[in-house]
Amino acid sequence: MNVPTHPGLDGGPVYLDYNATTPVDPRVAAAARPWLERWFGNPSSGHAAAERPRAALARAREQVAALIGAGADEIVLTGSGSEADTLALRGAVLAAPAGRSRVITQVTEHPAVLETCRALERLHGAEVVRLPVDGEGLVDPARLAAVLDERTAVVSVMAANNETGTLQPVAELARLARAHGALFHCDAAQAAGKVPLDVRELGVDLLTVVGHKMYAPKGVAALYVRRGVGLEPLVHGGGQEGGLRAGTENVAFAVALGTAAELAAAELAGGGVRRTAALRDRLHDGLAEALPGRIRLNGSARHRLPGTLNVSIDGTAAHELLAAVPLVAASTGSACHSGARTPSPVLRAMGLDDTRALAAVRLSVGRWTNPADIDRATALLTTAVRDAAAPSRT
């Protein structure tokens, strides 16, 4: 796959935070530009200026649908992944038959799901069950089976965790949910475009795809809604998006999302998973060799995204380490409150103690990462760890 150079990455730090956001691919930007500069018509209008935008919108749906094995008529465009998650969960609960007001999710979901669940509890009296995870961050299907009943409206379990990259057994979980008459929603923000996904094979009813996680701009996403699934709209108005999300469509960003989906599909078909996994493993192996006995993998070694590496480095505090290496752009899972660091809730839910959780760094690679970047980041991180451990000379 012929990937153009990216001006935003030229001469900057080694970018290892692709799970947080991805640079907009220049091909995506080029595809969207005419819909900002020239073809400005409202797709819902009845005159000639609407024809090109309407056709472009239809093409974008087809491209997104093709990435996940859906039909174009099953794609609802939204303004963010959080909006898509909210539409899925709130829409399912409010449209459910009387007596079905239970939501089942799991403790390491993205806040877009967890906070929506809290809102459903507070505003609509929904019952929410939050399943635990094991030490690798995986949900046990037996635990879901034990709590499913006729009261369940929707089950929501993500495809891949944003911090550890752990891939959940979505197909098995969805099968259990649907056997009890419940809908199954999957937040695939981190997985779409990185690993093959087919909504028919997974058996999901609802699935979230997010543009800025796969080289499209921030501010555009999509929700797959299986034909026949009824949802209460989140935004009422002119009836766009099958009546589920009113508002004049953002054609330029829809085109960007569609183009990004098509590029991602081509990359997957061309061996992108193997390439990305090789870079991730090169980074892990390099750190483990340079810092023997100090690198601890967080999450599943077998069931994870190809580009995600979450490790704790013994004897370090992740936020201090990354602050000492400004030439590497990466993330920690901790947050700062009143001067104190709070460990990642995801890592805590997996049973990690605070010391290990606070030492965790998330290093995520992507389309523009190359072996030289990996080796440079390894050297910079290793040097910073060793310098921090060296006795000061006063």
Side-chain angles (χ1 to χ4, degrees):
M1 188 174 179
N2 186 21
V3 179
T5 58
H6 199 289
L9 298 171
D10 186 23
V14 178
Y15 189 73
L16 296 178
D17 208 14
Y18 281 84
N19 281 18
T21 197
T22 56
V24 176
D25 191 300
R27 294 166 293 184
V28 170
R33 189 168 296 117
W35 308 99
L36 292 169
E37 296 176 346
R38 185 174 182 185
W39 309 113
F40 60 85
N42 187 328
S44 298
S45 296
H47 47 68
E51 292 176 4
R52 284 180 181 269
R54 186 161 51 244
L57 205 57
R59 174 61 178 151
R61 288 189 211 283
E62 293 172 356
Q63 291 168 308
V64 175
L67 177 65
I68 60 172
D73 62 322
E74 298 174 303
I75 301 301
V76 175
L77 297 171
T78 69
S80 68
S82 295
E83 182 189 336
D85 288 347
T86 303
L87 173 59
L89 296 182
R90 178 185 177 277
V93 169
L94 296 189
R100 281 192 179 269
S101 60
R102 171 184 277 187
V103 181
I104 302 175
T105 187
Q106 53 97 19
V107 292
T108 63
E109 283 292 312
H110 190 276
V113 166
L114 294 176
E115 291 302 321
T116 297
C117 287
R118 291 190 181 97
L120 287 169
E121 286 177 308
R122 185 177 72 254
L123 300 175
H124 301 287
E127 177 191 359
V128 178
V129 177
R130 299 166 179 85
L131 300 174
V133 295
D134 64 17
E136 293 186 350
L138 290 163
V139 173
D140 182 352
R143 287 187 176 273
L144 174 60
V147 296
L148 276 166
D149 60 22
E150 69 283 353
R151 295 173 294 166
T152 306
V154 61
V155 177
S156 183
V157 177
M158 63 191 352
N161 185 267
N162 48 296
E163 290 188 34
T164 65
T166 294
L167 292 165
Q168 297 290 353
V170 171
E172 187 173 0
L173 298 170
R175 179 180 57 80
L176 290 168
R178 294 182 67 178
H180 285 78
L183 297 176
F184 191 94
H185 166 251
C186 178
D187 181 342
Q190 290 294 342
K194 298 177 183 177
V195 293
L197 293 175
D198 187 300
V199 293
R200 312 297 182 201
E201 293 178 1
L202 291 173
V204 300
D205 301 286
L206 304 154
L207 183 136
T208 297
V209 175
V210 178
H212 80 99
K213 303 296 187 183
M214 59 179 199
Y215 310 99
K218 303 166 187 67
V220 65
L223 180 67
Y224 157 74
V225 182
R226 183 176 58 81
R227 290 187 198 97
V229 170
L231 298 178
E232 175 67 23
L234 185 62
V235 181
H236 299 272
Q240 293 90 346
E241 302 304 315
L244 292 177
R245 204 263 189 180
T248 302
E249 300 92 341
N250 186 339
V251 178
F253 276 29
V255 168
L257 180 63
T259 303
E262 188 171 86
L263 290 172
E267 193 168 54
L268 287 170
V273 171
R274 291 191 302 274
R275 173 193 169 275
T276 307
L279 291 168
R280 176 202 66 198
D281 293 344
R282 183 185 184 111
L283 179 58
H284 191 182
D285 293 346
L287 290 171
E289 182 179 348
L291 301 167
R294 298 183 64 180
I295 304 299
R296 301 178 183 272
L297 178 67
N298 301 319
S300 175
R302 294 177 301 153
H303 308 292
R304 58 173 164 157
L305 291 172
T308 303
L309 178 65
N310 189 305
V311 292
S312 294
I313 305 176
D314 286 352
T316 68
H319 69 286
E320 294 176 355
L321 173 62
L322 294 184
V325 192
L327 293 179
V328 174
S331 290
T332 73
S334 65
C336 184
H337 301 284
S338 301
R341 305 300 300 188
T342 302
S344 157
V346 169
L347 299 182
R348 271 184 165 173
M350 291 164 52
L352 274 64
D353 61 43
D354 286 1
T355 299
R356 180 167 167 180
L358 288 170
V361 292
R362 183 189 68 188
L363 306 161
S364 48
V365 305
R367 186 169 290 168
W368 282 275
T369 312
N370 59 51
D373 292 329
I374 296 296
D375 295 344
R376 182 180 176 215
T378 300
L380 288 166
L381 291 166
T382 299
T383 298
V385 171
R386 290 172 176 165
D387 287 349
S392 60
R393 298 179 180 179
T394 57

